[in-house]
Amino acid sequence: MSGTLATRMVNSYMALPMLDHEICFQGGEPLLLPRSFYERLDLFGCAVSVQTNATLITPEWAEFFARNRWLVGVSLDGSPTVNDVTRGKTTEAVQGIRLLERYGVDYSILCVVSRANVGEPEATDHYLRDNFSAPFRQYIRCAEEVSLPEYREFSSRVGYELPERCCGSYLVVEHDGNVYPCDFYVADEWRLGNIGADSWESLRDSALYREFQNRVCEMI
């Protein structure tokens, strides 16, 4: 996303008359952008989080997260045996997590339930629970590889409570400014508009967004 578009997105969002403002930067890999990209944005008073594979975290990034009180979501799919297959660079990811812990950064772990780990729920959960201090672990399904019954069985065995809705009440802005109602539904049929031309109010009040909210929700 260009700096100009990011500034417009943040400034217009922060101007909305809301009690709480929240933004999550995710990718791709958001840490491929320099810290100066985020430092130029006026995020004062906003709860900010970032979703990363943690391989690019340096002491400078960890200090930045700690100083600005960002919540960091780390994508890690289990032990090195699994994560090296699904994502790679597990050693670098663990080093990044250790930096978050050293600097006192609040972080959580997101694990994708795929063919690589769906048969090892307890081993996966034990590895993540026993090796890292993250207070929260989120398990999401790789729909192309894992069926809903398999996902429910995995979640039950690790004690993960499935969400009631498949999408929360949020909007997704892609790098080109196009806006969608959920990061699982970034498709032309659900394109609400573009933040470079449309207001947040018009996007949330659109007939297409109301249709999305009123549809029969499928478990992701």
Side-chain angles (χ1 to χ4, degrees):
M1 182 178 289
S2 71
T4 299
L5 184 60
T7 299
R8 174 185 171 86
M9 176 188 71
V10 170
N11 289 351
S12 61
Y13 172 64
M14 294 300 294
L16 292 175
M18 301 165 53
L19 291 178
D20 300 301
H21 293 79
E22 299 180 18
I23 292 178
C24 176
F25 294 102
Q26 57 184 13
E29 174 49 57
L31 300 194
L32 287 170
L33 290 168
R35 286 187 305 283
S36 58
F37 176 87
Y38 300 102
E39 289 170 341
R40 67 179 290 181
L41 302 176
D42 185 4
L43 294 164
F44 180 77
C46 184
V48 183
S49 59
V50 61
Q51 188 66 39
T52 174
N53 63 22
T55 62
L56 299 178
I57 294 177
T58 62
E60 291 77 16
W61 271 115
E63 189 279 330
F64 173 83
F65 295 143
R67 171 165 42 88
N68 292 285
R69 298 183 179 180
W70 283 25
L71 172 65
V72 177
V74 175
S75 301
L76 193 69
D77 295 336
S79 69
T81 302
V82 173
N83 196 73
D84 278 341
V85 172
T86 59
R87 298 183 185 275
K89 296 189 175 181
T90 306
T91 298
E92 291 87 339
V94 172
Q95 290 173 346
I97 294 173
R98 298 306 180 216
L99 284 171
L100 297 179
E101 294 172 340
R102 184 187 307 169
Y103 280 80
V105 178
D106 289 333
Y107 80 98
S108 61
I109 291 178
L110 182 150
C111 174
V112 174
V113 180
S114 68
R115 189 51 51 196
N117 59 12
V118 67
E120 302 177 345
E122 290 88 359
T124 300
D125 191 64
H126 287 169
Y127 173 80
L128 298 177
R129 181 189 64 196
D130 297 342
N131 288 280
F132 307 104
S133 63
F136 180 71
R137 297 178 301 284
Q138 179 184 10
Y139 292 99
I140 64 173
R141 178 172 72 105
C142 178
E144 294 81 9
E145 298 182 9
V146 174
S147 68
L148 272 176
E150 288 176 312
Y151 177 55
R152 291 192 175 105
E153 174 68 15
F154 182 103
S155 300
S156 175
R157 287 169 61 178
V158 300
Y160 179 65
E161 185 176 350
L162 298 178
E164 294 182 359
R165 295 180 57 86
C166 58
C167 279
S169 181
Y170 60 89
L171 296 177
V172 172
V173 184
E174 288 288 286
H175 71 281
D176 56 4
N178 285 336
V179 181
Y180 302 87
C182 173
D183 51 338
F184 291 97
Y185 291 88
V186 178
D188 290 342
E189 63 182 303
W190 293 114
R191 179 183 177 275
L192 303 178
N194 189 286
I195 199 60
D198 303 304
S199 68
W200 294 103
E201 292 89 347
S202 65
L203 294 167
R204 291 298 299 267
D205 293 339
S206 67
L208 185 59
Y209 187 71
R210 290 197 299 272
E211 178 185 344
F212 180 84
Q213 292 291 85
N214 293 329
R215 80 201 189 291
V216 176
C217 183
E218 298 176 358
M219 178 65 68
I220 294 175

